[in-house]
Amino acid sequence: ATWKYAMGEGESDPQGIYAMKFKEEIEKNSDHKIQVYPVGTLGEEADILEQAQAGLLQFIGQSTGYMGASIPEMDVFFVPYLMPTDPQQLDTFFRNSKAINEMFPEIFRKHGLELLAMFPEGEQVVTTMEEFRSPEDLRGKKIRVMPGSPLLIETYRAFGASPTPMSWGDLIGALKTNMVDGQENPTVWIEAYGLDELTKVMTYMGHNHFTAAAMAESNFFNSLSDADKKLIKNASDAALKHILKVAQELDATGLEKIKKKNPSYKIVRLSEKERDAFRKRVVQVEKSFVEKAGKSGEGILKQMKADLKAAMQ
Ligand code: 6CS
């Protein structure tokens, strides 16, 4: 059969690299074919999530920032200052985490989705027109955030900014017309889509890490033979292994490429003391996550913390 796979990124971006490896493995080991649809071809990320849940797509790749509104537990990835920034620790976390590998698959099933993999794409870095060092500097600044995460909006509000949720497809235009003063994304994405050229400063706040997920639609997945389920599981494991390695490299080269291409671009790494001022403002965001995501969310958060602790040893 030919299976449809839509995603929130292009073929050479991390979600695309995962998808292309997945496709390669499926096609190498079976007679099935995968048709890949990069972002934009079937709509924005929110659209493809709905299309998958309606049974129109068999596989999707999604950014967590588009999922929290429909799967509240996914907003755990936006509890500020929860995720480490060290790539090695993140790698260990994603490979071994019980929250990721055992608890989230159960949650996804309740939403008609079979979770295949989750992986990091790099630290979220903020690009703005003006330099900022404190919440006071950020006051009232319109920062574009991904549209599907209530917690992300709350975080930027707590930082003092004026969060502006919008889909990826609208961001370039919004930056060009000064509808927003900045945005956040990993360096691989900032570089690939020239977001550095549309802003003046890039700031590492250490508050968050970009996470993506790949999944199948449940009715489709459950109707498959055991052999095909195994085929998908193996292809997804191979693709995950591949992307965990490549995404780390891309995150590092993203920064190098920005520096080379745009030497006058200002790159700021906030000090621990500067970060403390932001950290203090967002302590209640974690509580708000638990309020929104309920008992199940509380369980995920607790397990994530235990998994992170283990990964950071
Ligand atoms: O900012 C966004 O919306 C996009 N950023 C990345 C890194 N991937 C896809 C997502 O849509």
Side-chain angles (χ1 to χ4, degrees):
T2 295
W3 294 331
K4 292 185 177 140
Y5 188 131
M7 60 189 174
E9 299 186 347
E11 285 181 12
S12 56
D13 303 317
Q15 285 175 35
I17 296 170
Y18 173 94
M20 298 314 277
K21 183 74 180 167
F22 181 78
K23 170 183 162 76
E24 182 192 314
E25 291 289 317
I26 295 282
E27 293 182 352
K28 189 172 77 189
N29 297 308
S30 73
D31 291 331
H32 300 302
K33 295 268 169 288
I34 302 266
Q35 173 78 43
V36 173
Y37 298 93
V39 66
T41 51
L42 296 178
E44 296 277 346
E45 285 196 61
D47 305 319
I48 63 171
L49 179 58
E50 281 180 18
Q51 288 166 17
Q53 285 173 317
L56 301 171
L57 299 168
Q58 286 70 57
F59 298 98
I60 53 168
Q62 285 264 292
S63 315
T64 50
Y66 288 78
M67 302 191 81
S70 34
I71 308 181
E73 292 94 330
M74 283 300 267
D75 249 357
V76 76
F77 292 101
F78 295 99
V79 171
Y81 296 101
L82 174 67
M83 302 288 278
T85 53
D86 179 85
Q88 206 47 56
Q89 289 173 346
L90 278 161
D91 189 275
T92 309
F93 167 73
F94 277 93
R95 282 176 203 276
N96 304 329
S97 164
K98 192 176 162 205
I100 303 280
N101 298 300
E102 292 175 31
M103 294 171 83
F104 265 121
E106 282 303 320
I107 293 168
F108 271 61
R109 279 182 202 119
K110 294 194 183 117
H111 294 271
L113 300 162
E114 184 70 25
L115 180 63
L116 298 177
M118 284 197 202
F119 53 88
E121 294 190 18
E123 182 174 338
Q124 284 288 58
V125 195
V126 188
T127 73
T128 48
M129 302 310 278
E130 284 170 40
E131 183 174 346
F132 68 90
R133 296 273 179 177
S134 65
E136 288 68 40
D137 293 344
L138 209 53
R139 187 177 303 145
K141 293 277 188 263
K142 291 197 280 301
I143 307 294
R144 176 269 176 177
V145 293
M146 287 182 279
S149 165
L151 220 65
L152 194 50
I153 296 171
E154 221 175 299
T155 298
Y156 270 91
R157 199 167 284 139
F159 280 162
S162 170
T164 310
M166 69 173 71
S167 274
W168 163 246
D170 296 324
L171 178 56
I172 303 262
L175 284 169
K176 281 186 179 158
T177 55
N178 296 321
M179 257 174 63
V180 292
D181 303 304
Q183 64 89 40
E184 63 168 20
N185 253 309
T187 57
V188 57
W189 192 264
I190 292 169
E191 195 278 323
Y193 294 93
L195 302 178
D196 54 321
E197 275 146 12
L198 295 170
T199 50
K200 301 257 184 295
V201 194
M202 183 167 98
T203 307
Y204 285 83
M205 300 176 74
H207 65 303
N208 199 4
H209 210 92
F210 192 98
T211 306
M215 63 219 90
E217 189 271 315
S218 289
N219 290 328
F220 153 73
F221 186 81
N222 294 333
S223 72
L224 295 173
S225 67
D226 286 347
D228 278 346
K229 282 182 185 155
K230 184 113 187 41
L231 171 77
I232 289 170
K233 177 91 181 73
N234 289 344
S236 139
D237 287 350
L240 176 63
K241 216 169 145 200
H242 182 62
I243 193 58
L244 281 175
K245 183 167 160 279
V246 176
Q248 237 185 73
E249 291 162 9
L250 286 175
D251 190 27
T253 47
L255 176 61
E256 288 320 308
K257 281 192 194 162
I258 291 170
K259 282 185 185 161
K260 213 187 227 159
K261 187 177 72 177
N262 197 351
S264 63
Y265 197 53
K266 182 147 196 181
I267 297 168
V268 176
R269 204 170 271 279
L270 295 188
S271 68
E272 282 307 315
K273 199 163 166 256
E274 286 166 335
R275 288 176 187 197
D276 279 343
F278 287 98
R279 267 196 206 102
K280 266 193 212 129
R281 290 197 164 221
V282 292
V283 276
Q284 86 285 0
V285 177
E286 183 173 315
K287 278 197 209 92
S288 167
F289 167 73
V290 173
E291 275 161 27
K292 289 191 175 76
K295 272 262 162 288
S296 165
E298 196 174 0
I300 278 282
L301 179 64
K302 203 169 152 220
Q303 188 60 46
M304 287 266 287
K305 284 185 175 172
D307 295 344
L308 286 165
K309 204 169 158 206
M312 284 157 87
Q313 266 159 15

